[in-house]
Amino acid sequence: QSVLTQPPSASGAPGQRVTISCSGSSSNIGRKTVNWYQQLPGTAPKLLLYSDNQRPSGVPDRFSGSKSGTSASLAVSGLQSEDEADYYCATWDDSLSAWVFGGGTRLTVL
Amino acid sequence: QVQLVESGGGVVQPGRSLRLSCAASGFTFNSFAMHWVRQAPGKGLEWVAVMSYDGSTKYYADSVKGRVTVSRDNSKNTLDLEVSSLRDEDTGVYYCARDSDYHVTAGYKDYWGQGTQVIVSS
């Protein structure tokens, strides 16, 4: 049972927009910024978004993030086949004194 | 360019110990906090441990507390993870990751190694 809750799966057709939610609490998302990671099949995770909505250099602007209260969201617009991957949210939890990840969401491009 | 290369994985019997290592290059190692993150087969990412840039601060996941020790050698640009009393549930790929900050709670994991596989089996 992850501290951060994500839907196990999401899907969309090429060109569509998909959002992935990440629900936490006042001890984590409610007071800390959220980061998102993308893990393509068989590869190491890669930083996708940091500080709720900032894109590292090289990440397409099709990826965007938002946060409200104790929940965060990752949006992927203009879906492409190469976006098929597992996506994880993460943040620091003050109560646990630990970094926490969401359980991950597998994104399928139909 | 930033490179993180993990080593030390393998097949280990339950109850034994294992020391993993992460060799860092391409950046000023002693300016960044460093993490260990693991992933069991077919499962999600699980954060394991973090150590501050100077080794003065470290935190561990509850699931491994008491069995795991993280350490670093800034003169050799290496990060280690010692796991003792290995259990079946310790099986997985272990990644080291650089934090964007020198502090342990405020940044994000901006670079990751390719991981080293640990299999706990008799």
Side-chain angles (χ1 to χ4, degrees), chain A residues 33-65:
Chain A
T33 59
V34 176
N35 309 309
W36 290 89
Y37 301 90
Q38 178 193 57
Q39 187 175 32
L40 296 169
T43 69
K46 166 194 158 187
L47 178 66
L48 187 67
L49 296 173
Y50 65 95
S51 298
D52 299 336
N53 55 20
Q54 301 300 300
R55 282 186 305 276
S57 172
V59 173
D61 59 7
R62 302 185 295 103
F63 294 92
S64 62

Side-chain angles (χ1 to χ4, degrees), chain A residues 35 37 39 44 47 50 88 99, chain B residues 35 39 44 104 107-109 113:
Chain A
N35 309 309
Y37 301 90
Q39 187 175 32
L47 178 66
Y50 65 95
Y88 297 90
W99 282 90
Chain B
H35 299 260
Q39 186 169 34
V104 297
Y108 45 89
K109 301 159 194 61

Side-chain angles (χ1 to χ4, degrees), chain A:
Chain A
Q1 197 88 355
S2 303
V3 172
L4 304 180
T5 301
Q6 296 180 235
S9 63
S11 63
Q16 282 190 333
R17 184 177 187 269
V18 168
T19 61
I20 296 172
S21 62
C22 175
S23 177
S25 69
S26 59
S27 64
N28 44 64
I29 294 179
R31 62 177 73 173
K32 297 293 184 180
T33 59
V34 176
N35 309 309
W36 290 89
Y37 301 90
Q38 178 193 57
Q39 187 175 32
L40 296 169
T43 69
K46 166 194 158 187
L47 178 66
L48 187 67
L49 296 173
Y50 65 95
S51 298
D52 299 336
N53 55 20
Q54 301 300 300
R55 282 186 305 276
S57 172
V59 173
D61 59 7
R62 302 185 295 103
F63 294 92
S64 62
S66 63
K67 190 178 83 171
S68 178
T70 59
S71 291
S73 290
L74 165 69
V76 186
S77 58
L79 263 180
Q80 300 181 5
S81 57
E82 56 260 41
D83 298 333
E84 277 210 341
D86 293 326
Y87 293 85
Y88 297 90
C89 57
T91 189
W92 173 261
D93 190 296
D94 275 342
S95 294
L96 297 174
S97 291
W99 282 90
V100 290
F101 280 98
T105 299
R106 177 150 296 176
L107 175 60
T108 302
V109 181
L110 302 171

